[in-house]
Amino acid sequence: MGIDPNYRTNRPVVKQENGVKVYGPIDPPKILGIHGTIVGVDFDLCIADGSCITACPVDVFHWTDTPGHPASEKKADPVNEQACIFCMACVNVCPVAAIDVKPP
């Protein structure tokens, strides 16, 4: 299915974490929401294969620990989303379509 491309308007911002907005709902450790506005990562879909981290030429993503999450216990967090150059490499390599990129 993949990330909801309309999450920015369909979901409330419930907090900020690592400098990025988190869109709910959240109920840790099993429901973690979508992290990021320019570069959004659905933490509930992310399986932490690392392809986005490898593909990104400007280091948008960093690993963050998510102990107890059923899909993976770490996630690619878009902590440097402001650096995004909109090349879409991360979107194209994500095996579970957990990433959405939209210019501000």
Side-chain angles (χ1 to χ4, degrees):
M1 167 111 179
I3 189 172
D4 172 8
N6 299 311
Y7 76 89
R8 295 163 188 86
T9 56
N10 292 345
R11 295 178 174 219
V13 174
V14 293
K15 67 177 184 172
Q16 270 202 289
E17 192 172 280
N18 296 322
V20 297
K21 291 179 181 176
V22 177
Y23 295 80
I26 62 169
D27 187 14
K30 299 205 185 302
I31 301 172
L32 302 176
I34 298 175
H35 292 232
T37 302
I38 298 168
V39 179
V41 177
D42 190 328
F43 271 31
D44 298 319
L45 297 176
C46 178
I47 58 170
D49 82 325
S51 59
C52 59
I53 290 175
T54 302
C56 182
V58 293
D59 297 319
V60 165
F61 306 95
H62 289 227
W63 289 120
T64 192
D65 292 327
T66 56
H69 192 269
S72 65
E73 294 204 335
K74 65 180 180 178
K75 306 292 179 185
D77 201 357
V79 296
N80 294 322
E81 67 177 343
Q82 295 294 330
C84 182
I85 58 172
F86 311 103
C87 69
M88 307 305 275
C90 60
V91 172
N92 294 330
V93 298
C94 182
V96 293
I99 303 171
D100 186 65
V101 175
K102 288 215 175 25

